[in-house]
C-alpha cells in the first residue's frame, strides 16, 4: 500500500495541480487529504472539485468549517476572516455539500488521520514535543497524520519521550518498529520557509515515508489573489513560505 498525503491546500489551484502531477508520477494506491481545502486562496470551488474527484479520504479543517458557517469566523485572524467570508460568498452548492459531509478525523489503513491533532482534531497546532507526545499517547496506529500547522514534521517515540522535528524535503523516515506522527506540510500555503508545495509519500509495505516538495507558479496564485481583492499579504507570504 502506497499512499500520497496532502494537507492545507487552501484554494491554491496551481500548487495543487503541481503536487498532483508529482503524485501521478509515483502512481500511489490512494490519496489522503487532511483538510483545509479552502480558505486564504483564490480557487475554492476548483480545488474542492479536484479533491472530490481524486482523494480517497478527505478531512474537514477549521477553514472548511468556517466557510460553511460551522465555526465562528470571529475566531480567525483578520486576513483569514476576510478570506473565509469571501470564500463563503463564492462557494457553489456542490462544494458546500461535499465539504459539509467531511469528518475532522478518520482511521484509514494503518494510520489515524486528524486535521489538527488527536487531542483537538480541529484547532490544536502540533508544534511542540508536548503536543506531539499527547497525540501519540491518544492513538495506537503505527502512523498518525496531522496537518493544520503548515509545517512539515516527523516525530517518533523514543525512551519514554518523543524525538524529531521539522522535516525538510528529502527527509525519509523508517516506519518499522516505531510509531510516527507525521505532518506532510502544506500544499497551498507552506509556513516552514520553503515556499514550494509540500506532500508526503508513504510506502507501508516497504516501510518508509518520504517528504517531498514541488515548485509551482506562485505568481499565478498571487495574481488571482489580487484580482479577487483578497488581502495582499495572503499573496506576498506565499513567496516567502510563511
Ligand atoms: Zn490550514
Amino acid at each position: 500500500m502506497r499512499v500520497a498525503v496532502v494537507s492545507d491546500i487552501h484554494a491554491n489551484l496551481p500548487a495543487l495541480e503541481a503536487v498532483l502531477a508529482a503524485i501521478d508520477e509515483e502512481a500511489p494506491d490512494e490519496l489522503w487529504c487532511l483538510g483545509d481545502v479552502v480558505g486564504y486562496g483564490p480557487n475554492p470551488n476548483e480545488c474542492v472539485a479536484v479533491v472530490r474527484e481524486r482523494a480517497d479520504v478527505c478531512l474537514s479543517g477549521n477553514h472548511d468549517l468556517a466557510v460553511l458557517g460551522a465555526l465562528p469566523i470571529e475566531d480567525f485572524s483578520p486576513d483569514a476572516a476576510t478570506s473565509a467570508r469571501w470564500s463563503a460568498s463564492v462557494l457553489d452548492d456542490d462544494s458546500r455539500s461535499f465539504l459539509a459531509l467531511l469528518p475532522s478525523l478518520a482511521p484509514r489503513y494503518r494510520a489515524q488521520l486528524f486535521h489538527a491533532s488527536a487531542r483537538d482534531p480541529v484547532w490544536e497546532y502540533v508544534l511542540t514535543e508536548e503536543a506531539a507526545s499527547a497525540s501519540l499517547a491518544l492513538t495506537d496506529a503505527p502512523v498518525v497524520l496531522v496537518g493544520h500547522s503548515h509545517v512539515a514534521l516527523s516525530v517518533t517515540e523514543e525512551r519514554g519521550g518523543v524525538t524529531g522535528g521539522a522535516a525538510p524535503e528529502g527527509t525519509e523516515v523508517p516506519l518499522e518498529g516505531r510509531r510516527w506522527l507525521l505532518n506532510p506540510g502544506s500544499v497551498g500555503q507552506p509556513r516552514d520557509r520553503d515556499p514550494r508545495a509540500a506532500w508526503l509519500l508513504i510506502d507501508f509495505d516497504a516501510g518508509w515515508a518520504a517528504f517531498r516538495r514541488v515548485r509551482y507558479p506562485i505568481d499565478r496564485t498571487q495574481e488571482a489573489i489580487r484580482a479577487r481583492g483578497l488581502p495582499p499579504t495572503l499573496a506576498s507570504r506565499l513567496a516567502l513560505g510563511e
Side-chain angles (χ1 to χ4, degrees):
M1 173 73 128
R2 294 168 75 250
V3 179
V5 187
V6 297
S7 191
D8 298 279
I9 295 162
H10 284 298
N12 185 339
L13 188 63
L16 178 58
E17 287 175 341
V19 164
L20 288 175
I23 288 173
D24 285 343
E25 282 179 28
E26 297 286 351
D29 300 295
E30 294 203 342
L31 173 64
W32 301 347
C33 171
L34 306 180
D36 274 4
V37 179
V38 303
Y40 292 128
N43 294 106
N45 292 316
E46 294 87 341
C47 288
V48 170
V50 170
V51 168
R52 185 182 182 170
E53 170 75 25
R54 296 287 308 266
D56 297 282
V57 58
C58 184
L59 303 181
S60 177
N62 52 312
H63 284 259
D64 304 314
L65 291 166
V67 169
L68 289 172
L71 266 188
I73 286 179
E74 296 73 51
D75 292 352
F76 277 39
S77 67
D79 284 355
T82 301
S83 71
R85 287 194 190 92
W86 175 82
S87 304
S89 76
V90 299
L91 202 68
D92 62 32
D93 290 345
D94 285 350
S95 300
R96 186 172 291 276
S97 50
F98 174 75
L99 293 176
L101 291 175
L102 304 179
S104 288
L105 70 163
R108 186 83 178 182
Y109 193 58
R110 295 179 201 157
Q112 280 169 276
L113 286 55
F114 303 89
H115 173 64
S117 81
R119 198 157 53 180
D120 178 346
V122 175
W123 272 115
E124 185 191 19
Y125 292 94
V126 180
L127 287 169
T128 63
E129 287 194 358
E130 191 276 328
S133 181
S135 274
L136 283 165
L138 288 166
T139 51
D140 54 13
V143 174
V144 179
L145 295 166
V146 301
H148 188 52
S149 71
H150 301 204
V151 174
L153 208 70
S154 65
V155 178
T156 188
E157 293 171 325
E158 193 162 278
R159 294 192 202 97
V162 295
T163 183
E169 183 188 42
T171 301
E172 204 166 306
V173 301
L175 300 182
E176 206 176 310
R178 345 175 123 246
R179 298 183 60 225
W180 285 94
L181 180 138
L182 305 173
N183 184 327
S186 168
V187 170
Q189 194 198 76
R191 293 180 193 160
D192 51 8
R193 304 230 155 229
D194 181 346
R196 294 175 298 173
W199 65 285
L200 178 71
L201 181 63
I202 308 178
D203 190 325
F204 284 98
D205 305 315
W208 52 259
F211 289 82
R212 302 284 176 88
R213 299 304 273 253
V214 55
R215 282 183 202 288
Y216 75 94
I218 293 174
D219 56 331
R220 273 183 51 204
T221 305
Q222 291 176 318
E223 275 166 34
I225 286 173
R226 292 189 197 104
R228 283 156 182 70
L230 290 165
T233 47
L234 295 181
S236 56
R237 68 187 298 177
L238 293 177
L240 306 169
E242 63 180 29

